[in-house]
Amino acid sequence: MKVLVTGATGYLGRHIVRVLAAAGHHVVGVSRSGSPVEHAAEMVIGDVTDPSSFQAALEDADWLVHGAGLVSHDVEDARKLYQLHVLGTERTLEAARAAGVKKVVYLSTSGTVCVTDKSETRDETGGTPIEVIQKWPYYRSKLFAEEVALKLSSDEMPIVSLNPSLLLGPGDITGESTKSVRLFLEDKIPMSPPGGLSFVDVRDAAAVVPTAFEKGRGGERYLLGGGNMTFQVFYNRLAQILDKPAPNFTAPRILTRRLFESVPRLGKDGLGFGFSVDRVGLLQASHFWYVDDSKARRELDFVTRDPNVCLRDTCADLLWEGGSRFAPPERTGLPS
């Protein structure tokens, strides 16, 4: 198949290109810069809010992976996020349908379903937590974009939504997705947030894409997780991998809520905690993001590696001084 991948230069996009090419597909990447991506047959400069910019590449494409997006939790980016995620998704999928694309995999996030105020594991049947995510422009825009995508699904062009949790593993060039690990490496996590997270290895999330095209049901979402745990357990695991102390204190939820509602930014010059983290980040970390991915495992043969392997490879990649984002663990000096 000829597969068009928007967002091909992104963290997940690069891994998807690699997986699809390894499966024998002809992969064409689309990005605003047109920067080369390893294993892509070609790269096309294009803007998803203006699909005419890559119309020629769409014309003979069999499949489309729509993953173009922006990760930002800055309220000032709300308009940009809406235009890119919602309008960009609508326009790109309509152009794909007009071009005769046979099937689409849309890349969403587990945050459109799996975020709660209490410790609770959610699956695809859970209601939309709009009262929570309406405060956060990124998740709000991803929710609206996902709704657009699933409504446009049809027999002629089925659209499958993949909803991965926090992506970890090698290859995060911008450092945005692996920020929680990097801050720990930099000794900027003196205490654990009071919530819980789910994470999945980016390689495992990418590996399920070919199967999603073959077996995924149009109009359906599939949650992808790899491990659910409190932030305290998460940082304890990182501490064991790195042979360094773990935070021995979990911040009370009421303290983090009140503190970050009144203080826009914490840092060592502010309250002397020795770390810097944005308010929205800690507010999100006081929630629970637990994922039940049994539907993807059952219908898409989704499998994941051991969470500790994912964490070790993430650390190895961040620590390697060579600059490549695919560092082998043995080159980082990690404890054996």
Side-chain angles (χ1 to χ4, degrees), residues 21-270:
H25 300 295
H26 179 90
V27 185
V28 177
V30 179
S31 74
R32 288 185 173 183
S33 66
S35 300
V37 172
E38 188 179 3
H39 301 294
E42 60 181 297
M43 291 296 299
V44 175
I45 296 176
D47 182 345
V48 294
T49 63
D50 178 19
S52 64
S53 60
F54 55 94
Q55 185 66 38
L58 264 177
E59 289 299 334
D60 59 346
D62 300 293
W63 293 343
L64 168 69
V65 177
H66 182 53
L70 170 69
V71 178
S72 171
H73 300 292
D74 190 337
V75 294
E76 294 183 358
D77 286 335
R79 182 178 178 82
K80 183 188 301 183
L81 289 164
Y82 182 86
Q83 290 177 329
L84 181 57
H85 293 156
V86 184
L87 297 183
T89 294
E90 182 177 33
R91 292 170 182 173
T92 296
L93 295 183
E94 287 180 344
R97 181 171 56 187
V101 169
K102 299 178 178 67
K103 195 166 187 177
V104 176
V105 167
Y106 170 70
L107 303 180
S108 186
T109 169
S110 66
T112 62
V113 186
C114 303
V115 51
T116 62
D117 225 16
K118 57 184 179 180
S119 181
E120 177 185 357
T121 302
R122 294 169 64 89
D123 63 14
E124 292 85 355
T125 64
T128 301
I130 189 65
E131 69 284 353
V132 177
I133 62 177
Q134 66 181 353
K135 302 175 291 187
W136 302 326
Y138 173 76
Y139 289 106
R140 187 172 66 237
S141 67
K142 290 296 287 185
L143 170 65
F144 296 155
E146 181 184 295
E147 291 176 345
V148 165
L150 295 180
K151 286 179 181 178
L152 287 173
S153 181
S154 65
D155 291 341
E156 291 74 26
M157 190 181 75
I159 300 174
V160 178
S161 178
L162 295 182
N163 297 57
S165 57
L166 177 67
L167 294 168
L168 296 180
D172 185 14
I173 295 174
T174 67
E176 184 64 35
S177 191
T178 55
K179 183 178 180 180
S180 57
V181 179
R182 176 173 53 80
L183 289 176
F184 183 76
L185 288 169
E186 296 173 352
D187 298 319
K188 293 180 178 178
I189 305 292
M191 67 180 71
S192 297
L197 79 163
S198 174
F199 63 87
V200 61
D201 194 291
V202 65
R203 295 165 292 186
D204 298 333
V208 79
V209 170
T211 313
F213 276 116
E214 296 164 9
K215 298 182 178 181
R217 291 183 288 135
E220 296 284 331
R221 60 158 69 108
Y222 294 87
L223 291 165
L224 307 177
N228 299 321
M229 61 193 69
T230 65
F231 280 96
Q232 181 68 61
V233 171
F234 177 70
Y235 287 120
N236 281 340
R237 292 197 181 200
L238 287 176
Q240 292 175 358
I241 290 170
L242 296 163
D243 193 22
K244 62 184 297 181
N248 55 16
F249 176 69
T250 297
R253 294 185 86 210
I254 189 170
L255 173 64
T256 58
R257 296 290 180 88
R258 290 180 177 176
L259 183 63
F260 281 83
E261 284 171 0
S262 57
V263 181
R265 190 169 182 84
L266 276 179
K268 59 185 178 181
D269 296 329

